[in-house]
C-alpha cells in the first residue's frame, strides 16, 4: 500500500477515536468526558479549618460536633432537673408522678444509670416489679458495680417469689457493699435482705416438704391461695377502673399477702400439733446466722462494737479490709473475743436439729 494511503488511514483512524481532534494532533476532544476541564479546588483558608483532637477538620464538621455536644449537655441538664423533681415527688409519696418524671428524664438522657435505679424504686412502690427488674438490669448494663441496682433487683425478684434469683442478686449487692472503698450505711440493710432471701428460699423447700407429707394440708392451702387470688383480681379490677389509687392498690395487695400467709401458717400449726415429728416448722433463728457467709455459726466471735460473726469468715474479711463488715468502723483481729454464750446456743441448736440443719 502506498505510503500516502497508509497516512490517510491513520488520519481517518485518529478521527474515529478522537472526533474533532484537528487532524493528526491526537489531542482529546473537548466533548470527551475526560477532556472536560475541572475547576481546581480552592485552597482552604485558616477560617475554613478547625482543629478537633489534634486533627484538622472543615469548620462545618467542627461546628456540627460542637452543636451536638452542646445539645447533649443541655439534654443531660434537663434530665437531671427532671430526676430531681421526680425525687421530690418520691419523697412526698407521689410515686406515679415520680415514675413519670423519671421516664421523661430517661428519654432525654438514657445513658444515666442512676435514673433507671430511681425509676425502679418508684415502680417497686407501685407494685410494678417486672418493670422494676427491667430498669435494674438496664442500670447494671450501664454501670456494672451498681450496688443499689442489685439491691432493688433482689427485692423485686423476691416480691415475685423468685428467691433463688433474689438471693444471687442480694449476694452481689452485699459483696459490692463490703468491698466498697467509700463509707456506706447500707451494709446492715443489705445483710438483712440476703438473710430474708435465704429464708424465703428455705421456706419454699419447707412448703413442698410439708405438702408432700400431708395431702390434706396441700389441698387446704390451695383453697386459701385460690381465695386470695380471687381477691387479688378484684383489687386489680378496681385499680384499672380508677376506683382505687395505685398506692392504695399496692397497700391492699400487701395486706392480702400477709393475711394469706398468716392463714397458711395457722393451718400448719394445727397440723404440727397433730404430727410434731413430721409437720413441725423448721427454721433457724436469726441470731445464730453469720452476717458474712449467712450460714449458721460454729465458732462465733464478738467485736468491740457488739456484732458477732463466724471467726473464720471475719478473719478472712479483715485480711482484705480492716473494718467491721456492717459498721465499716476500724477493726483488727486482736480486737475479737469469743462469744461463748452464742457458741453454746449454736451447739445446742445443731444437736437438736442435726438432720435438716445442714441443708439450710
Amino acid at each position: 500500500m502506498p505510503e500516502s494511503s497508509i497516512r490517510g488511514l491513520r488520519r481517518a483512524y485518529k478521527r474515529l477515536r478522537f472526533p474533532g481532534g484537528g487532524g493528526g494532533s491526537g489531542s482529546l476532544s473537548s466533548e470527551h468526558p475526560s477532556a472536560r476541564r475541572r475547576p481546581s479546588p480552592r485552597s482552604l483558608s485558616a477560617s475554613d479549618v478547625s482543629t478537633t483532637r489534634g486533627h484538622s477538620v472543615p469548620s462545618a464538621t467542627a461546628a456540627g460536633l460542637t452543636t451536638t455536644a452542646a445539645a447533649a449537655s443541655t439534654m443531660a441538664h434537663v434530665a437531671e432537673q427532671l430526676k430531681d423533681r421526680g425525687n421530690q415527688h418520691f419523697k412526698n409519696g407521689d410515686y406515679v408522678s415520680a415514675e413519670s418524671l423519671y421516664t421523661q428524664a430517661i428519654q432525654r438522657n438514657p445513658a444515666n444509670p442512676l435514673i433507671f435505679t430511681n425509676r425502679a424504686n418508684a415502680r417497686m412502690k407501685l407494685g410494678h416489679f417486672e418493670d422494676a427488674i427491667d430498669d435494674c438490669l438496664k442500670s447494671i448494663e450501664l454501670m456494672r458495680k451498681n450496688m443499689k441496682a442489685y439491691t432493688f433487683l433482689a427485692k423485686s425478684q423476691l416480691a415475685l417469689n423468685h428467691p433463688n434469683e433474689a438471693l444471687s442478686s442480694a449476694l452481689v449487692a452485699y459483696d459490692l457493699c463490703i468491698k466498697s472503698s467509700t463509707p456506706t450505711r447500707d451494709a446492715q440493710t443489705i445483710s438483712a435482705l440476703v438473710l430474708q432471701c435465704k429464708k424465703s428460699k428455705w421456706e419454699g423447700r419447707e412448703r413442698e416438704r410439708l405438702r408432700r407429707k400431708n395431702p390434706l394440708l396441700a389441698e387446704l392451702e390451695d383453697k386459701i391461695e385460690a381465695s386470695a387470688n380471687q381477691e387479688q383480681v378484684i383489687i386489680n379490677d378496681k385499680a384499672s377502673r380508677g376506683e382505687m389509687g395505685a398506692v392504695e392498690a399496692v397497700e391492699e395487695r400487701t395486706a392480702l399477702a400477709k393475711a394469706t400467709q398468716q392463714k397458711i401458717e395457722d393451718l400448719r400449726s394445727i397440723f404440727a400439733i397433730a404430727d410434731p415429728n413430721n409437720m413441725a416448722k423448721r427454721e433457724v433463728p436469726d441470731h445464730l446466722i453469720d452476717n458474712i457467709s449467712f450460714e449458721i455459726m460454729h465458732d462465733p466471735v464478738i467485736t468491740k462494737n457488739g456484732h458477732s460473726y463466724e471467726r473464720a469468715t471475719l478473719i478472712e474479711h479483715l485480711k482484705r479490709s480492716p473494718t467491721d463488715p456492717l459498721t465499716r468502723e476500724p477493726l483488727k483481729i486482736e480486737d475479737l473475743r469469743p462469744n461463748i454464750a452464742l457458741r453454746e446456743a449454736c451447739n445446742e441448736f445443731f444437736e437438736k436439729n442435726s438432720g435438716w440443719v445442714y441443708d439450710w
Side-chain angles (χ1 to χ4, degrees):
M1 182 178 291
E3 182 69 18
S4 59
S5 298
I6 295 174
R7 287 198 296 269
L9 286 173
R10 287 175 177 171
R11 284 196 295 270
Y13 176 67
K14 288 180 179 179
R15 282 197 296 271
L16 288 172
R17 291 183 61 197
F18 310 111
S25 65
S27 61
L28 293 176
S29 167
S30 61
E31 295 299 318
H32 193 278
S34 301
R36 293 172 188 161
R37 185 176 180 85
R38 294 183 177 87
S40 59
R42 180 175 62 87
S43 299
L44 294 174
S45 65
S47 61
D48 295 318
V49 179
S50 177
T51 301
T52 302
R53 294 183 180 178
H55 300 284
S56 295
V57 296
S59 59
T61 303
L65 291 173
T66 302
T67 302
T68 302
S73 177
T74 300
M75 294 293 274
H77 179 68
V78 173
E80 195 66 24
Q81 290 180 322
L82 289 166
K83 179 173 75 71
D84 291 342
R85 288 174 56 195
N87 292 345
Q88 191 58 51
H89 281 280
F90 186 92
K91 291 178 182 178
N92 295 335
D94 185 359
Y95 306 122
V96 174
S97 296
E99 182 192 20
S100 176
L101 287 164
Y102 293 143
T103 299
Q104 295 176 51
I106 288 171
Q107 290 170 347
R108 287 160 177 80
N109 185 12
N112 187 337
L114 303 182
I115 307 178
F116 282 97
T117 53
N118 284 17
R119 188 171 70 172
N121 199 12
R123 287 176 163 178
M124 287 165 54
K125 293 293 186 180
L126 294 171
H128 303 162
F129 297 108
E130 293 91 348
D131 293 334
I133 288 175
D134 290 340
D135 279 346
C136 291
L137 294 176
K138 181 60 179 179
S139 183
I140 292 168
E141 180 183 331
L142 293 169
M143 186 171 70
R144 292 294 178 184
K145 295 183 178 181
N146 194 332
M147 181 185 69
K148 184 177 289 187
Y150 276 109
T151 302
F152 292 163
L153 178 60
K155 289 182 177 180
S156 298
Q157 290 167 331
L158 193 60
L160 293 175
N161 197 27
H162 301 311
N164 293 341
E165 294 85 349
L167 179 59
S168 297
S169 301
L171 286 171
V172 174
Y174 183 78
D175 187 61
L176 290 172
C177 182
I178 63 174
K179 291 181 179 178
S180 173
S181 58
T182 57
T184 175
R185 295 176 294 178
D186 297 321
Q188 295 190 45
T189 301
I190 298 176
S191 175
L193 175 62
V194 173
L195 186 56
Q196 182 184 2
C197 293
K198 186 162 186 178
K199 292 177 73 172
S200 179
K201 180 180 178 180
W202 172 256
E203 287 168 2
R205 293 172 60 184
E206 275 292 278
R207 178 178 184 272
E208 294 306 314
R209 180 186 70 85
L210 294 174
R211 289 168 67 88
R212 286 195 302 270
K213 289 283 186 181
N214 198 313
L216 177 58
L217 172 65
E219 181 180 347
L220 294 175
E221 284 187 357
D222 287 342
K223 290 183 178 180
I224 292 174
E225 291 174 349
S227 176
N229 290 336
Q230 291 177 354
E231 293 185 50
Q232 177 95 322
V233 171
I234 294 173
I235 294 172
N236 294 340
D237 288 343
K238 288 183 177 179
S240 63
R241 293 195 301 267
E243 298 175 7
M244 182 182 295
V247 176
E248 183 183 0
V250 171
E251 293 173 349
E252 288 289 328
R253 294 188 193 103
T254 302
L256 175 61
K258 289 182 178 179
T260 302
Q261 184 60 33
Q262 188 60 53
K263 289 179 182 178
I264 291 175
E265 289 182 3
D266 292 343
L267 180 64
R268 290 177 183 174
S269 297
I270 296 173
F271 277 81
I273 294 172
D275 187 5
N277 292 330
N278 292 316
M279 304 302 294
K281 186 176 182 179
R282 306 188 309 190
E283 59 182 352
V284 179
D286 291 355
H287 66 277
L288 302 183
I289 300 171
D290 173 43
N291 280 311
I292 300 177
S293 66
F294 300 98
E295 301 292 342
I296 304 171
M297 291 181 279
H298 294 268
D299 183 17
V301 292
I302 190 168
T303 69
K304 58 184 180 181
N305 299 318
H307 293 104
S308 293
Y309 303 91
E310 176 66 21
R311 182 189 297 274
T313 54
L314 180 56
I315 290 177
E316 187 64 28
H317 166 78
L318 293 177
K319 289 178 180 178
R320 297 191 305 267
S321 174
T323 58
D324 187 303
L326 295 181
T327 65
R328 306 308 300 274
E329 296 178 4
L331 183 64
K332 300 178 181 178
I333 294 177
E334 50 266 31
D335 295 330
L336 308 181
R337 297 290 181 270
N339 191 332
I340 298 174
L342 183 56
R343 183 170 60 192
E344 291 177 353
C346 291
N347 290 338
E348 182 181 355
F349 185 79
F350 274 108
E351 290 174 3
K352 289 183 177 180
N353 304 280
S354 58
W356 63 268
V357 72
Y358 295 99
D359 295 328
W360 191 83

